[in-house]
Amino acid sequence: MRQIIFALFIVTIFGSCTKDFVSTNQNPNQISDALLKQDFNLVGSPISGMLFNLNGHQIEEDLCQDSWMGFMSTGTDFVGNVNNTTYYIRWNAYWGREYGSVMSPAKQVIQLAEANNLPLFATWAKFIKILSMSKLTAVHGPVIYSEYGSTAPTIHYDKESDLYNLFFKQLDSIQTAFAANTTYKGFTKFDPSYHGSIPEWMKLVNSIRLRLAMRLSKVDPVLAKTQGEKALSDPAGLITANSDNFTNSLLGNIMPVAQICYQWDDTRMSAVMESFLGGLKDPRVSSYFAPVSDAALYVDHPAFPYKGIRNGAYINTKADHIPFSKVNSNFNDPPNGGTTTTRRDFTAAEVAFLKAEAGLRGWAGAGDPKTNYENGVRLSFADWGAGGVDAYLADNTSKPLDYVDPVDHRNNFTSRSTVTVAWNDADNNELKLEKIITQKWINNFTNTLESWVDFRRTGYPKIPHVAKNDSSPDWGVIPADQWIKRMPYPNNERVSNAAGVADAVSKMGAGAKDDIATRLWWDTGNPSNF
Protein backbone atom coordinates (compact mmCIF):
# COMPACT_ATOMS: atom_id res chain seq x y z
CA MET A 1 0.00 0.00 0.00
CA ARG A 2 2.78 2.44 0.89
CA GLN A 3 4.40 1.90 -2.52
CA ILE A 4 1.04 2.66 -4.18
CA ILE A 5 0.64 5.88 -2.19
CA PHE A 6 4.17 6.89 -3.06
CA ALA A 7 3.56 6.15 -6.75
CA LEU A 8 0.45 8.32 -6.73
CA PHE A 9 2.47 11.08 -5.08
CA ILE A 10 5.04 10.78 -7.85
CA VAL A 11 2.35 11.19 -10.50
CA THR A 12 1.04 14.25 -8.68
CA ILE A 13 4.39 16.05 -8.42
CA PHE A 14 5.96 15.00 -11.72
CA GLY A 15 5.03 18.13 -13.59
CA SER A 16 4.04 21.72 -13.03
CA CYS A 17 2.75 24.61 -15.06
CA THR A 18 4.52 27.93 -15.40
CA LYS A 19 1.95 29.96 -17.29
CA ASP A 20 1.26 32.42 -14.45
CA PHE A 21 4.28 34.65 -14.95
CA VAL A 22 4.97 38.37 -14.70
CA SER A 23 7.75 40.64 -15.85
CA THR A 24 8.72 43.61 -13.68
CA ASN A 25 11.33 46.31 -13.76
CA GLN A 26 13.86 47.33 -11.12
CA ASN A 27 13.12 50.73 -9.56
CA PRO A 28 15.36 51.30 -6.51
CA ASN A 29 14.64 54.49 -4.61
CA GLN A 30 15.76 55.93 -1.32
CA ILE A 31 13.42 54.95 1.49
CA SER A 32 11.71 57.96 3.13
CA ASP A 33 11.14 58.48 6.86
CA ALA A 34 7.40 58.26 6.28
CA LEU A 35 7.68 54.81 4.74
CA LEU A 36 9.78 53.60 7.65
CA LYS A 37 6.75 54.04 9.89
CA GLN A 38 4.43 51.89 7.83
CA ASP A 39 3.38 48.36 8.66
CA PHE A 40 4.85 46.21 5.88
CA ASN A 41 2.95 42.96 6.48
CA LEU A 42 1.35 43.09 3.06
CA VAL A 43 4.70 42.80 1.29
CA GLY A 44 6.81 41.16 3.99
CA SER A 45 4.75 38.20 5.13
CA PRO A 46 5.47 35.96 2.08
CA ILE A 47 9.27 36.35 2.36
CA SER A 48 10.03 33.59 4.87
CA GLY A 49 8.09 31.05 2.80
CA MET A 50 9.91 32.10 -0.34
CA LEU A 51 13.28 31.64 1.37
CA PHE A 52 12.23 28.26 2.79
CA ASN A 53 11.34 27.03 -0.69
CA LEU A 54 14.61 28.02 -2.36
CA ASN A 55 15.74 24.44 -1.79
CA GLY A 56 14.14 21.17 -2.75
CA HIS A 57 12.53 18.84 -0.28
CA GLN A 58 13.04 15.12 0.22
CA ILE A 59 12.09 14.08 -3.32
CA GLU A 60 13.88 16.87 -5.18
CA GLU A 61 17.05 16.65 -3.07
CA ASP A 62 17.56 13.29 -1.44
CA LEU A 63 16.53 11.14 -4.38
CA CYS A 64 18.26 13.43 -6.86
CA GLN A 65 21.48 15.41 -6.24
CA ASP A 66 22.03 14.02 -2.73
CA SER A 67 22.26 10.63 -4.38
CA TRP A 68 24.02 11.65 -7.60
CA MET A 69 26.76 13.40 -5.60
CA GLY A 70 27.27 10.60 -3.10
CA PHE A 71 25.95 12.22 0.07
CA MET A 72 22.98 9.94 0.70
CA SER A 73 21.77 6.73 -0.90
CA THR A 74 18.61 4.66 -0.81
CA GLY A 75 18.27 1.02 0.07
CA THR A 76 14.61 1.05 -0.96
CA ASP A 77 13.84 -0.39 -4.39
CA PHE A 78 11.41 2.30 -5.48
CA VAL A 79 9.53 1.40 -8.69
CA GLY A 80 11.39 -1.87 -9.10
CA ASN A 81 14.71 -0.14 -8.40
CA VAL A 82 14.50 1.78 -11.68
CA ASN A 83 14.34 5.45 -10.71
CA ASN A 84 16.25 8.74 -10.49
CA THR A 85 19.00 7.17 -8.41
CA THR A 86 19.71 4.65 -11.19
CA TYR A 87 19.32 7.29 -13.92
CA TYR A 88 15.73 6.62 -14.96
CA ILE A 89 13.62 9.69 -14.18
CA ARG A 90 10.55 9.16 -12.01
CA TRP A 91 10.53 12.33 -9.84
CA ASN A 92 10.80 15.85 -11.20
CA ALA A 93 9.26 18.32 -8.75
CA TYR A 94 11.77 21.14 -8.22
CA TRP A 95 10.52 23.20 -11.19
CA GLY A 96 7.03 23.36 -9.72
CA ARG A 97 8.31 24.30 -6.27
CA GLU A 98 10.39 27.22 -7.53
CA TYR A 99 7.72 28.70 -9.76
CA GLY A 100 4.80 28.01 -7.44
CA SER A 101 6.38 28.81 -4.09
CA VAL A 102 9.04 31.41 -4.95
CA MET A 103 8.44 33.10 -8.29
CA SER A 104 4.67 33.44 -7.92
CA PRO A 105 4.73 35.07 -4.45
CA ALA A 106 7.72 37.16 -5.51
CA LYS A 107 5.59 38.50 -8.36
CA GLN A 108 2.90 39.50 -5.88
CA VAL A 109 5.38 41.13 -3.49
CA ILE A 110 6.91 43.16 -6.33
CA GLN A 111 3.52 44.32 -7.59
CA LEU A 112 2.32 45.31 -4.12
CA ALA A 113 5.62 46.96 -3.22
CA GLU A 114 5.65 49.06 -6.36
CA ALA A 115 1.98 49.96 -6.00
CA ASN A 116 2.53 51.08 -2.41
CA ASN A 117 5.83 52.89 -3.01
CA LEU A 118 7.93 50.35 -1.09
CA PRO A 119 10.74 49.86 -3.60
CA LEU A 120 13.19 48.13 -1.27
CA PHE A 121 10.77 45.23 -0.72
CA ALA A 122 10.55 44.90 -4.49
CA THR A 123 14.35 44.86 -4.60
CA TRP A 124 14.45 42.13 -1.95
CA ALA A 125 11.95 39.98 -3.84
CA LYS A 126 13.92 40.42 -7.06
CA PHE A 127 17.05 39.20 -5.32
CA ILE A 128 15.20 36.15 -4.01
CA LYS A 129 14.11 35.45 -7.59
CA ILE A 130 17.77 35.36 -8.61
CA LEU A 131 18.55 33.04 -5.71
CA SER A 132 15.79 30.74 -6.93
CA MET A 133 16.42 30.81 -10.65
CA SER A 134 20.20 30.51 -10.27
CA LYS A 135 19.47 27.17 -8.62
CA LEU A 136 16.81 26.06 -11.09
CA THR A 137 18.97 26.79 -14.13
CA ALA A 138 21.68 24.60 -12.58
CA VAL A 139 19.20 21.73 -12.72
CA HIS A 140 17.57 22.23 -16.14
CA GLY A 141 19.56 24.78 -18.18
CA PRO A 142 17.38 27.42 -19.91
CA VAL A 143 14.49 28.55 -17.70
CA ILE A 144 11.64 31.03 -17.99
CA TYR A 145 12.79 34.30 -16.46
CA SER A 146 12.63 37.41 -18.64
CA GLU A 147 9.26 36.30 -20.06
CA TYR A 148 7.89 35.42 -16.63
CA GLY A 149 4.29 36.64 -16.73
CA SER A 150 3.75 36.24 -20.44
CA THR A 151 0.27 35.26 -21.53
CA ALA A 152 1.40 34.28 -25.02
CA PRO A 153 0.64 30.75 -26.24
CA THR A 154 4.38 30.03 -26.23
CA ILE A 155 6.53 31.20 -23.34
CA HIS A 156 10.19 31.35 -24.22
CA TYR A 157 13.05 30.27 -22.00
CA ASP A 158 16.16 32.37 -21.48
CA LYS A 159 19.32 31.06 -23.09
CA GLU A 160 21.81 30.32 -20.34
CA SER A 161 24.38 32.87 -21.48
CA ASP A 162 21.67 35.55 -21.60
CA LEU A 163 20.36 34.48 -18.22
CA TYR A 164 23.68 34.87 -16.44
CA ASN A 165 24.25 38.27 -18.05
CA LEU A 166 20.83 39.31 -16.80
CA PHE A 167 21.58 37.98 -13.31
CA PHE A 168 24.78 40.03 -13.14
CA LYS A 169 23.04 43.18 -14.41
CA GLN A 170 20.24 42.81 -11.88
CA LEU A 171 22.70 42.15 -9.05
CA ASP A 172 24.22 45.54 -9.91
CA SER A 173 20.93 47.36 -9.44
CA ILE A 174 20.04 45.35 -6.35
CA GLN A 175 23.34 46.19 -4.70
CA THR A 176 22.90 49.85 -5.58
CA ALA A 177 19.47 49.91 -3.95
CA PHE A 178 20.73 48.16 -0.83
CA ALA A 179 23.77 50.45 -0.60
CA ALA A 180 21.46 53.48 -0.53
CA ASN A 181 19.55 52.06 2.45
CA THR A 182 22.05 50.31 4.73
CA THR A 183 20.30 51.42 7.93
CA TYR A 184 16.81 50.47 6.77
CA LYS A 185 14.96 48.35 9.35
CA GLY A 186 11.79 47.51 7.44
CA PHE A 187 12.81 43.90 6.74
CA THR A 188 13.46 43.00 10.38
CA LYS A 189 10.34 41.08 11.39
CA PHE A 190 10.11 39.28 8.05
CA ASP A 191 13.73 38.17 7.74
CA PRO A 192 14.56 34.78 9.34
CA SER A 193 18.06 34.80 7.83
CA TYR A 194 19.68 38.15 8.66
CA HIS A 195 17.03 39.77 10.91
CA GLY A 196 16.70 42.76 8.63
CA SER A 197 20.40 43.64 8.25
CA ILE A 198 20.90 45.20 4.82
CA PRO A 199 24.73 44.99 5.12
CA GLU A 200 24.43 41.22 5.58
CA TRP A 201 22.23 40.93 2.48
CA MET A 202 24.83 42.95 0.60
CA LYS A 203 27.48 40.39 1.56
CA LEU A 204 25.21 37.69 0.19
CA VAL A 205 24.75 39.62 -3.08
CA ASN A 206 28.53 39.68 -3.56
CA SER A 207 28.87 36.03 -2.57
CA ILE A 208 26.19 34.97 -5.06
CA ARG A 209 27.96 36.95 -7.76
CA LEU A 210 31.19 35.12 -6.95
CA ARG A 211 29.43 31.73 -7.02
CA LEU A 212 27.82 32.42 -10.39
CA ALA A 213 31.04 33.84 -11.81
CA MET A 214 32.90 30.66 -10.89
CA ARG A 215 30.29 28.56 -12.69
CA LEU A 216 31.33 30.29 -15.91
CA SER A 217 35.08 29.99 -15.35
CA LYS A 218 35.57 27.47 -18.16
CA VAL A 219 32.91 28.43 -20.67
CA ASP A 220 33.47 32.22 -20.48
CA PRO A 221 36.65 32.90 -18.48
CA VAL A 222 36.70 36.62 -19.35
CA LEU A 223 33.19 37.27 -18.04
CA ALA A 224 33.84 35.01 -15.05
CA LYS A 225 36.99 36.92 -14.11
CA THR A 226 35.30 40.30 -14.54
CA GLN A 227 32.33 39.37 -12.37
CA GLY A 228 34.42 37.45 -9.86
CA GLU A 229 36.78 40.37 -9.34
CA LYS A 230 33.79 42.68 -9.01
CA ALA A 231 32.48 40.54 -6.16
CA LEU A 232 35.90 40.32 -4.53
CA SER A 233 36.46 44.09 -4.63
CA ASP A 234 33.02 45.35 -3.62
CA PRO A 235 33.28 47.36 -0.39
CA ALA A 236 30.27 45.59 1.11
CA GLY A 237 32.40 42.45 1.39
CA LEU A 238 31.58 38.76 1.25
CA ILE A 239 30.38 36.10 3.67
CA THR A 240 33.67 35.53 5.49
CA ALA A 241 32.64 34.47 9.01
CA ASN A 242 30.22 31.76 10.11
CA SER A 243 28.17 34.49 11.76
CA ASP A 244 27.52 35.78 8.23
CA ASN A 245 26.30 32.42 6.90
CA PHE A 246 23.10 32.54 4.88
CA THR A 247 20.78 30.13 6.67
CA ASN A 248 17.06 29.65 6.26
CA SER A 249 14.47 28.84 8.86
CA LEU A 250 12.77 25.47 8.47
CA LEU A 251 9.59 27.20 9.70
CA GLY A 252 8.93 24.31 12.06
CA ASN A 253 9.43 21.66 9.37
CA ILE A 254 11.83 18.72 9.52
CA MET A 255 15.03 18.78 7.47
CA PRO A 256 14.31 16.94 4.20
CA VAL A 257 17.30 14.65 4.67
CA ALA A 258 15.93 13.60 8.07
CA GLN A 259 12.37 13.22 6.85
CA ILE A 260 13.29 10.66 4.22
CA CYS A 261 15.80 8.96 6.52
CA TYR A 262 13.85 8.80 9.79
CA GLN A 263 10.17 9.23 8.92
CA TRP A 264 10.26 7.30 5.65
CA ASP A 265 13.26 5.11 6.55
CA ASP A 266 14.32 5.18 2.90
CA THR A 267 17.85 6.64 2.86
CA ARG A 268 21.18 6.09 4.55
CA MET A 269 24.73 7.41 4.37
CA SER A 270 26.26 7.02 0.93
CA ALA A 271 29.18 4.70 0.36
CA VAL A 272 30.98 7.68 -1.19
CA MET A 273 30.80 9.57 2.10
CA GLU A 274 32.07 6.45 3.85
CA SER A 275 34.97 6.27 1.42
CA PHE A 276 36.06 9.91 1.78
CA LEU A 277 35.22 10.64 5.42
CA GLY A 278 36.58 7.31 6.58
CA GLY A 279 39.68 7.36 4.43
CA LEU A 280 40.57 10.97 5.22
CA LYS A 281 39.84 10.43 8.93
CA ASP A 282 37.40 13.33 8.84
CA PRO A 283 35.97 14.29 12.27
CA ARG A 284 32.92 15.93 10.65
CA VAL A 285 31.45 12.48 10.07
CA SER A 286 29.88 12.42 13.54
CA SER A 287 28.10 15.71 12.78
CA TYR A 288 26.66 14.24 9.60
CA PHE A 289 25.90 10.60 10.37
CA ALA A 290 25.17 8.11 13.14
CA PRO A 291 27.46 5.13 13.72
CA VAL A 292 26.13 1.62 13.22
CA SER A 293 25.67 -0.84 16.07
CA ASP A 294 26.73 -4.01 14.23
CA ALA A 295 30.53 -4.26 14.02
CA ALA A 296 30.20 -6.89 11.29
CA LEU A 297 29.16 -4.12 8.90
CA TYR A 298 32.52 -2.31 9.06
CA VAL A 299 35.13 -5.03 9.46
CA ASP A 300 37.01 -3.51 6.53
CA HIS A 301 37.73 -0.39 8.67
CA PRO A 302 37.24 -1.30 12.37
CA ALA A 303 38.22 2.17 13.63
CA PHE A 304 35.47 3.85 11.58
CA PRO A 305 32.03 2.57 12.71
CA TYR A 306 30.00 3.88 9.79
CA LYS A 307 28.55 2.12 6.77
CA GLY A 308 27.00 3.59 3.62
CA ILE A 309 25.10 2.32 0.59
CA ARG A 310 26.50 2.63 -2.92
CA ASN A 311 24.62 5.06 -5.13
CA GLY A 312 22.47 3.40 -7.74
CA ALA A 313 22.93 0.20 -5.75
CA TYR A 314 21.75 -3.25 -6.62
CA ILE A 315 18.98 -3.87 -4.08
CA ASN A 316 17.42 -7.18 -3.15
CA THR A 317 15.19 -6.04 -0.29
CA LYS A 318 14.87 -2.87 1.74
CA ALA A 319 15.64 -4.71 4.97
CA ASP A 320 19.19 -5.48 3.80
CA HIS A 321 20.46 -1.92 4.30
CA ILE A 322 18.26 -0.71 7.16
CA PRO A 323 21.10 -1.24 9.70
CA PHE A 324 23.44 1.11 7.79
CA SER A 325 24.25 4.63 9.01
CA LYS A 326 21.44 7.14 9.32
CA VAL A 327 21.98 10.88 9.33
CA ASN A 328 22.80 12.39 12.71
CA SER A 329 19.67 12.45 14.87
CA ASN A 330 20.16 16.19 15.40
CA PHE A 331 18.68 16.66 11.92
CA ASN A 332 15.44 15.01 13.05
CA ASP A 333 12.42 17.05 14.16
CA PRO A 334 12.39 18.31 17.79
CA PRO A 335 9.65 15.90 18.98
CA ASN A 336 12.04 13.07 18.05
CA GLY A 337 15.14 14.58 19.63
CA GLY A 338 16.27 16.79 16.77
CA THR A 339 17.81 20.22 17.27
CA THR A 340 17.96 21.54 13.70
CA THR A 341 15.71 24.53 13.03
CA THR A 342 17.60 26.11 10.10
CA ARG A 343 19.45 24.91 7.03
CA ARG A 344 22.60 26.19 5.37
CA ASP A 345 22.33 27.91 1.99
CA PHE A 346 25.65 29.74 1.66
CA THR A 347 28.49 29.49 4.16
CA ALA A 348 31.74 31.28 4.80
CA ALA A 349 33.53 28.01 4.07
CA GLU A 350 32.09 27.93 0.56
CA VAL A 351 33.26 31.51 -0.02
CA ALA A 352 36.75 30.60 1.18
CA PHE A 353 36.88 27.68 -1.26
CA LEU A 354 35.62 29.95 -4.05
CA LYS A 355 38.41 32.39 -3.23
CA ALA A 356 40.94 29.55 -3.22
CA GLU A 357 39.88 28.54 -6.73
CA ALA A 358 39.79 32.17 -7.83
CA GLY A 359 43.39 32.49 -6.65
CA LEU A 360 44.39 29.52 -8.78
CA ARG A 361 42.74 31.23 -11.73
CA GLY A 362 44.59 34.50 -11.13
CA TRP A 363 41.61 36.64 -10.19
CA ALA A 364 42.65 39.91 -8.56
CA GLY A 365 41.71 40.23 -4.91
CA ALA A 366 41.28 36.49 -4.35
CA GLY A 367 44.28 36.08 -2.07
CA ASP A 368 46.54 33.10 -1.55
CA PRO A 369 44.98 29.72 -2.54
CA LYS A 370 46.61 27.81 0.35
CA THR A 371 45.45 30.34 2.93
CA ASN A 372 41.91 30.34 1.59
CA TYR A 373 41.82 26.53 1.30
CA GLU A 374 42.91 26.02 4.88
CA ASN A 375 40.60 28.79 6.08
CA GLY A 376 37.71 27.06 4.31
CA VAL A 377 38.44 23.80 6.13
CA ARG A 378 38.75 25.61 9.46
CA LEU A 379 35.49 27.47 8.92
CA SER A 380 33.77 24.22 7.97
CA PHE A 381 35.02 22.39 11.07
CA ALA A 382 33.87 25.25 13.28
CA ASP A 383 30.49 25.46 11.56
CA TRP A 384 29.86 21.73 11.96
CA GLY A 385 31.23 21.59 15.52
CA ALA A 386 34.16 19.30 14.72
CA GLY A 387 37.55 19.29 16.42
CA GLY A 388 41.04 18.26 15.34
CA VAL A 389 41.36 20.58 12.37
CA ASP A 390 45.12 21.16 12.73
CA ALA A 391 45.96 17.45 12.54
CA TYR A 392 43.50 17.03 9.67
CA LEU A 393 45.10 19.80 7.61
CA ALA A 394 48.56 18.35 8.19
CA ASP A 395 47.61 14.84 6.99
CA ASN A 396 49.37 14.16 3.68
CA THR A 397 48.97 10.36 3.64
CA SER A 398 45.34 9.40 4.33
CA LYS A 399 43.31 8.69 1.19
CA PRO A 400 39.72 7.67 0.40
CA LEU A 401 38.83 4.05 1.11
CA ASP A 402 37.73 1.34 -1.27
CA TYR A 403 34.16 0.27 -0.52
CA VAL A 404 32.82 -3.13 0.47
CA ASP A 405 29.10 -3.79 0.71
CA PRO A 406 28.67 -6.62 3.24
CA VAL A 407 25.23 -7.39 1.78
CA ASP A 408 25.84 -7.44 -1.97
CA HIS A 409 29.36 -7.40 -3.43
CA ARG A 410 28.06 -6.17 -6.77
CA ASN A 411 28.06 -2.75 -5.09
CA ASN A 412 31.76 -2.81 -4.17
CA PHE A 413 34.03 -0.18 -5.74
CA THR A 414 37.65 0.90 -5.83
CA SER A 415 38.00 4.57 -5.03
CA ARG A 416 38.70 6.73 -8.08
CA SER A 417 40.24 9.37 -5.82
CA THR A 418 43.64 9.27 -4.14
CA VAL A 419 43.39 12.85 -2.89
CA THR A 420 44.90 13.80 0.47
CA VAL A 421 44.11 16.79 2.67
CA ALA A 422 47.40 18.61 3.26
CA TRP A 423 48.18 21.45 0.86
CA ASN A 424 51.37 21.15 -1.18
CA ASP A 425 52.54 24.20 -3.11
CA ALA A 426 54.49 21.89 -5.42
CA ASP A 427 51.30 20.25 -6.71
CA ASN A 428 49.99 21.31 -10.11
CA ASN A 429 46.82 23.36 -10.32
CA GLU A 430 44.63 20.38 -11.18
CA LEU A 431 45.57 18.56 -7.99
CA LYS A 432 45.19 21.75 -5.97
CA LEU A 433 41.73 22.25 -7.48
CA GLU A 434 40.82 18.66 -6.67
CA LYS A 435 41.68 19.29 -3.02
CA ILE A 436 39.65 22.51 -2.98
CA ILE A 437 36.56 21.02 -4.58
CA THR A 438 36.76 17.83 -2.50
CA GLN A 439 36.75 19.85 0.71
CA LYS A 440 34.03 22.13 -0.63
CA TRP A 441 31.96 19.02 -1.39
CA ILE A 442 32.44 17.61 2.11
CA ASN A 443 31.41 20.94 3.62
CA ASN A 444 28.28 21.15 1.45
CA PHE A 445 26.42 18.36 3.22
CA THR A 446 22.68 19.30 3.15
CA ASN A 447 23.41 21.90 0.42
CA THR A 448 24.27 19.53 -2.35
CA LEU A 449 23.10 21.27 -5.53
CA GLU A 450 26.25 23.40 -5.61
CA SER A 451 28.36 20.27 -5.38
CA TRP A 452 26.55 18.81 -8.39
CA VAL A 453 27.40 22.05 -10.22
CA ASP A 454 31.07 21.80 -9.24
CA PHE A 455 31.27 18.15 -10.22
CA ARG A 456 29.86 18.72 -13.70
CA ARG A 457 32.04 21.80 -14.14
CA THR A 458 35.37 20.42 -12.84
CA GLY A 459 35.10 16.63 -12.56
CA TYR A 460 35.82 16.83 -8.81
CA PRO A 461 35.53 15.17 -6.41
CA LYS A 462 36.37 11.91 -8.12
CA ILE A 463 33.29 9.92 -7.15
CA PRO A 464 32.44 6.44 -8.47
CA HIS A 465 29.83 5.72 -11.11
CA VAL A 466 26.44 4.36 -10.12
CA ALA A 467 26.45 0.61 -9.64
CA LYS A 468 23.27 0.10 -11.65
CA ASN A 469 22.71 2.34 -14.68
CA ASP A 470 19.14 2.23 -15.97
CA SER A 471 19.45 5.19 -18.32
CA SER A 472 17.67 4.61 -21.62
CA PRO A 473 16.46 6.50 -24.69
CA ASP A 474 13.31 7.35 -22.70
CA TRP A 475 15.20 10.00 -20.68
CA GLY A 476 18.68 9.88 -22.19
CA VAL A 477 21.54 7.40 -22.15
CA ILE A 478 24.43 7.99 -19.75
CA PRO A 479 27.48 6.00 -20.87
CA ALA A 480 29.11 3.76 -18.30
CA ASP A 481 32.03 6.16 -17.92
CA GLN A 482 29.81 9.23 -17.36
CA TRP A 483 27.32 10.72 -14.89
CA ILE A 484 23.92 12.39 -15.13
CA LYS A 485 24.16 15.91 -16.67
CA ARG A 486 20.80 17.61 -16.04
CA MET A 487 17.13 17.09 -15.36
CA PRO A 488 14.60 17.14 -18.21
CA TYR A 489 11.75 19.62 -18.18
CA PRO A 490 8.63 18.47 -16.31
CA ASN A 491 5.87 16.79 -18.25
CA ASN A 492 3.37 19.64 -17.85
CA GLU A 493 5.80 22.03 -19.52
CA ARG A 494 6.36 19.54 -22.32
CA VAL A 495 2.60 19.42 -22.91
CA SER A 496 1.39 22.96 -22.16
CA ASN A 497 4.42 24.82 -23.53
CA ALA A 498 5.78 22.36 -26.07
CA ALA A 499 7.04 25.03 -28.48
CA GLY A 500 8.77 26.82 -25.60
CA VAL A 501 10.50 23.61 -24.54
CA ALA A 502 11.60 22.96 -28.12
CA ASP A 503 12.99 26.49 -28.31
CA ALA A 504 14.79 25.98 -24.99
CA VAL A 505 16.41 22.79 -26.24
CA SER A 506 17.57 24.56 -29.40
CA LYS A 507 19.32 27.11 -27.19
CA MET A 508 21.40 24.36 -25.59
CA GLY A 509 23.39 23.79 -28.75
CA ALA A 510 23.68 21.41 -31.68
CA GLY A 511 22.55 17.90 -30.91
CA ALA A 512 20.94 18.88 -27.61
CA LYS A 513 17.92 16.97 -26.35
CA ASP A 514 15.60 17.43 -23.42
CA ASP A 515 17.25 14.54 -21.64
CA ILE A 516 19.66 13.73 -18.83
CA ALA A 517 22.66 13.34 -21.14
CA THR A 518 22.74 16.91 -22.53
CA ARG A 519 25.35 19.13 -20.90
CA LEU A 520 24.49 22.56 -19.57
CA TRP A 521 26.25 25.60 -21.04
CA TRP A 522 28.97 25.87 -18.40
CA ASP A 523 29.61 22.11 -18.37
CA THR A 524 32.08 22.16 -21.24
CA GLY A 525 33.14 18.53 -21.03
CA ASN A 526 36.79 19.60 -21.18
CA PRO A 527 38.69 17.50 -18.59
CA SER A 528 41.29 20.26 -18.22
CA ASN A 529 40.33 23.02 -15.80
CA PHE A 530 43.23 25.33 -16.65
Side-chain angles (χ1 to χ4, degrees), residues 112-281:
L112 288 168
E114 293 180 342
N116 289 277
N117 196 24
L118 295 169
L120 211 61
F121 274 90
T123 297
W124 197 14
K126 290 169 185 177
F127 181 48
I128 294 171
K129 285 171 58 178
I130 293 176
L131 295 177
S132 170
M133 292 295 101
S134 66
K135 289 176 176 284
L136 191 67
T137 185
V139 174
H140 296 285
V143 295
I144 298 170
Y145 188 67
S146 62
E147 289 197 12
Y148 183 76
S150 171
T151 58
T154 296
I155 304 174
H156 294 96
Y157 295 57
D158 290 271
K159 187 177 180 180
E160 289 173 89
S161 56
D162 295 338
L163 187 65
Y164 282 89
N165 280 322
L166 185 53
F167 286 159
F168 292 135
K169 181 179 180 180
Q170 292 179 341
L171 289 174
D172 289 342
S173 60
I174 288 165
Q175 196 72 319
T176 297
F178 282 163
N181 296 280
T182 56
T183 61
Y184 178 60
K185 301 300 181 185
F187 293 173
T188 302
K189 69 177 182 178
F190 310 110
D191 180 4
S193 300
Y194 289 129
H195 311 293
S197 172
I198 299 298
E200 291 293 337
W201 282 99
M202 293 175 72
K203 292 177 183 177
L204 180 59
V205 170
N206 288 331
S207 300
I208 289 293
R209 187 190 299 275
L210 183 60
R211 175 192 276 176
L212 299 184
M214 194 59 73
R215 281 190 193 173
L216 312 187
S217 57
K218 289 172 69 173
V219 70
D220 193 340
V222 174
L223 177 62
K225 187 173 188 288
T226 298
Q227 291 296 328
E229 291 179 346
K230 189 171 192 175
L232 291 163
S233 63
D234 190 272
L238 297 156
I239 297 171
T240 55
N242 284 327
S243 58
D244 298 327
N245 287 352
F246 176 46
T247 60
N248 278 321
S249 172
L250 292 172
L251 303 180
N253 294 284
I254 187 174
M255 273 287 285
V257 73
Q259 181 172 22
I260 197 167
C261 181
Y262 282 100
Q263 295 188 352
W264 293 54
D265 212 23
D266 283 327
T267 59
R268 293 293 186 266
M269 175 188 197
S270 165
V272 185
M273 282 267 104
E274 176 188 335
S275 171
F276 279 84
L277 298 181
L280 298 180
K281 301 179 176 61

Side-chain angles (χ1 to χ4, degrees), residues 425-443:
D425 281 323
D427 289 339
N428 62 36
N429 277 355
E430 282 291 347
L431 183 51
K432 289 175 180 176
L433 182 61
E434 182 182 0
K435 289 177 185 283
I436 292 167
I437 300 299
T438 298
Q439 287 299 320
K440 188 179 177 185
W441 167 74
I442 293 172
N443 173 73

Side-chain angles (χ1 to χ4, degrees), residues 314-358:
Y314 291 96
I315 299 170
N316 297 310
T317 176
K318 176 176 178 175
D320 285 346
H321 294 95
I322 287 292
F324 286 31
S325 289
K326 295 183 177 182
V327 294
N328 188 302
S329 61
N330 286 339
F331 291 113
N332 210 348
D333 55 347
N336 290 296
T339 60
T340 302
T341 59
T342 63
R343 63 173 300 168
R344 296 162 174 82
D345 257 296
F346 208 140
T347 67
E350 181 184 343
V351 171
F353 293 129
L354 284 166
K355 290 173 67 176
E357 181 175 353

